[in-house]
C-alpha cells in the first residue's frame, strides 16, 4: 500500500497506530463479524446515552449557548456570478467604507421557548475580520457598511434570537449577516471516556453540518477510506439524547490508497432533536458544528 496521506488531522495519530485507513478499510467482512460489530456499536451507544442522562454535561448543554447553525447568512440573491462565489469561498472580502463604533459590549440571547443569556458581542470590525480572512484582490466582494441587529439561530436550546452584524455588500440588495456573539461556550466535558482508536466498529464524526427546520433531519460529516462503500451513521434516540454512531460499510480486499475522506450523511429522527444533545458515540461528547 502507498504512503499515508491524511486530509483530517483529527485521527492522524490513531490511523498511524492502526495502519491507516487503507489497512482498516481492507479485508473481507463475514456475517459473524458484521453481527458482532453491530452489537458492539449498539452497546457503546447505549452506554453513551446512559452516561449523558442526568449528567452535569447534559445540564450545561441545556443551560448554555451552543449553536447548531451557520453563524453566517448569505444575501438572498447570492451569488451573482462565479467570481463572487469564489471570492466568498476564499474569504476575499474588502472593506470600502466606515464601520460603526458600537458602544455595546454586551448583548442578550433570547430563546423562543423562554430564557435569556447575557453575552459579550464582537465589534463590527472584529466581525468583519472574521469574514475577510483572505487577501483582497480586484475580484473581492466589497463591504460598504454595517449595522447591529438580530437574527434567529438554532441552538442547543432551540431557536434563539442572537445579536448579529448586517454587512452591506456592494451590488447586493440584501445584507451578509454574521452572528456578533464573541463565541459559544466551551462544549461540556463528556461524561464518558472517548474510545482510543478508530476501528471496524466505530469512527469519530467530522462535525455537524446542519439540522433541518423541523429538527428531524440531522446532517453530519462522516469519515471513511478509499476502498470501501462509504460511511454509515446509526442513531440511538432517547428522551434526553441523540447518539450518532459512525462506521464504514463494504471494506474490500486489494490495494488502495490511504486517503481519509469525508462525506455528508443525513439521518432522520423519530422526533425533533429539540434540546437533546447530539452526541458522537466514538468520543462520547457533543458533535461540534463546523461550517
Amino acid at each position: 500500500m502507498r504512503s499515508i496521506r491524511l486530509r483530517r488531522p483529527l485521527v492522524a495519530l490513531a490511523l498511524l497506530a492502526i495502519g491507516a485507513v487503507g489497512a482498516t478499510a481492507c479485508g473481507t467482512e463475514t456475517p459473524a463479524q458484521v453481527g458482532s460489530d453491530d452489537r458492539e456499536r449498539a452497546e457503546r451507544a447505549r452506554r453513551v446515552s446512559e452516561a449523558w442522562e442526568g449528567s452535569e454535561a447534559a445540564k450545561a448543554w441545556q443551560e448554555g449557548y451552543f449553536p447548531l447553525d451557520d453563524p453566517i447568512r448569505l444575501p438572498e440573491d447570492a451569488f451573482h456570478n462565479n467570481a463572487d462565489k469564489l471570492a466568498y469561498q476564499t474569504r476575499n472580502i474588502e472593506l470600502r467604507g466606515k464601520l460603526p463604533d458600537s458602544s455595546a459590549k454586551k448583548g442578550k440571547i433570547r430563546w423562543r421557548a423562554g430564557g435569556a443569556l447575557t453575552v459579550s458581542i464582537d465589534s463590527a470590525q472584529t466581525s468583519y475580520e472574521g469574514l475577510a480572512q483572505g487577501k483582497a484582490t480586484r475580484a473581492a466582494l466589497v463591504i460598504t457598511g454595517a449595522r447591529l441587529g438580530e437574527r434567529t439561530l438554532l441552538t442547543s436550546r432551540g431557536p434563539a434570537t442572537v445579536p448579529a452584524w448586517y454587512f452591506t455588500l456592494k451590488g447586493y440588495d440584501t445584507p451578509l449577516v454574521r452572528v456578533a456573539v464573541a463565541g459559544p461556550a466551551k462544549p461540556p466535558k463528556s461524561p464518558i471516556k472517548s474510545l482510543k482508536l478508530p476501528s471496524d466498529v466505530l469512527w469519530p464524526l467530522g462535525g455537524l453540518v446542519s439540522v433541518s427546520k423541523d429538527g428531524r433531519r440531522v446532517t453530519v460529516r462522516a469519515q471513511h477510506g478509499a476502498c470501501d462503500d462509504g460511511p454509515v451513521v446509526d442513531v440511538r434516540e432517547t428522551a434526553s439524547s441523540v447518539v450518532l454512531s459512525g462506521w464504514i460499510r463494504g471494506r474490500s480486499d486489494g490495494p488502495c490508497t490511504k486517503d481519509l475522506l469525508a462525506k455528508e450523511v443525513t439521518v432522520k429522527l423519530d422526533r425533533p432533536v429539540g434540546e437533546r444533545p447530539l452526541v458522537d458515540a466514538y468520543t462520547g461528547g457533543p458533535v461540534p458544528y463546523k461550517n
Side-chain angles (χ1 to χ4, degrees):
M1 293 187 179
R2 287 178 250 170
S3 61
I4 187 166
R5 291 182 287 136
L6 296 176
R7 296 186 182 179
R8 289 183 178 272
L10 175 65
V11 294
L13 184 59
L15 292 175
L16 289 171
I18 62 174
V21 177
T24 318
C26 294
T28 304
E29 294 175 321
T30 65
Q33 289 174 323
V34 172
S36 175
D37 289 352
D38 288 343
R39 288 191 296 272
E40 192 170 341
R41 271 190 295 274
E43 175 62 18
R44 171 65 179 178
R46 182 190 65 79
R47 285 189 280 115
V48 170
S49 65
E50 288 181 354
W52 270 84
E53 187 171 355
S55 67
E56 288 299 316
K59 181 180 178 182
W61 183 262
Q62 293 170 357
E63 294 180 352
Y65 165 65
F66 302 101
L68 302 180
D69 207 347
D70 195 334
I72 299 171
R73 188 175 68 196
L74 298 177
E76 293 177 3
D77 51 347
F79 285 101
H80 290 172
N81 50 56
N82 288 333
D84 282 1
K85 182 177 181 180
L86 180 61
Y88 174 75
Q89 290 173 340
T90 58
R91 293 299 194 266
N92 181 17
I93 301 174
E94 181 181 356
L95 175 62
R96 296 183 193 170
K98 184 176 176 60
L99 295 177
D101 294 324
S102 174
S103 59
K105 302 295 183 182
K106 298 288 184 178
K108 280 191 178 292
I109 298 173
R110 295 180 176 85
W111 277 273
R112 185 178 297 171
L117 182 68
T118 299
V119 293
S120 299
I121 62 173
D122 288 334
S123 66
Q125 181 65 33
T126 299
S127 287
Y128 162 71
E129 291 171 357
L131 289 169
Q133 298 173 2
K135 183 177 180 181
T137 69
R138 291 181 60 184
L141 286 171
V142 176
I143 287 177
T144 60
R147 65 176 178 84
L148 185 61
E150 294 179 326
R151 64 159 288 195
T152 300
L153 193 73
L154 183 63
T155 76
S156 56
R157 296 163 61 178
T161 300
V162 182
W165 284 105
Y166 283 64
F167 291 97
T168 304
L169 277 185
K170 183 179 178 181
Y172 287 82
D173 295 330
T174 55
L176 174 66
V177 183
R178 186 179 190 273
V179 168
V181 177
K186 184 179 180 180
K189 183 179 179 181
S190 171
I192 187 172
K193 289 184 178 180
S194 172
L195 298 180
K196 293 183 177 180
L197 293 175
S199 69
D200 288 352
V201 178
L202 277 173
W203 277 72
L205 297 172
L208 174 66
V209 177
S210 65
V211 177
S212 64
K213 289 184 178 181
D214 64 3
R216 299 186 65 173
R217 287 176 174 78
V218 175
T219 301
V220 295
R221 289 187 183 90
Q223 301 173 122
H224 68 108
C227 53
D228 55 58
D229 293 336
V232 182
V233 178
D234 293 339
V235 182
R236 175 185 173 87
E237 288 190 62
T238 68
S240 56
S241 66
V242 178
V243 179
L244 304 175
S245 303
W247 55 283
I248 297 171
R249 187 196 300 277
R251 299 176 303 279
S252 60
D253 289 326
C256 60
T257 65
K258 295 180 180 180
D259 289 332
L260 182 60
L261 309 175
K263 181 179 179 180
E264 293 186 1
V265 177
T266 298
V267 297
K268 296 181 180 180
L269 306 182
D270 291 335
R271 61 188 181 88
V273 61
E275 297 183 13
R276 295 179 294 171
L278 296 167
V279 183
D280 185 343
Y282 181 90
T283 65
V287 182
Y289 175 81
K290 294 184 178 180
N291 59 350

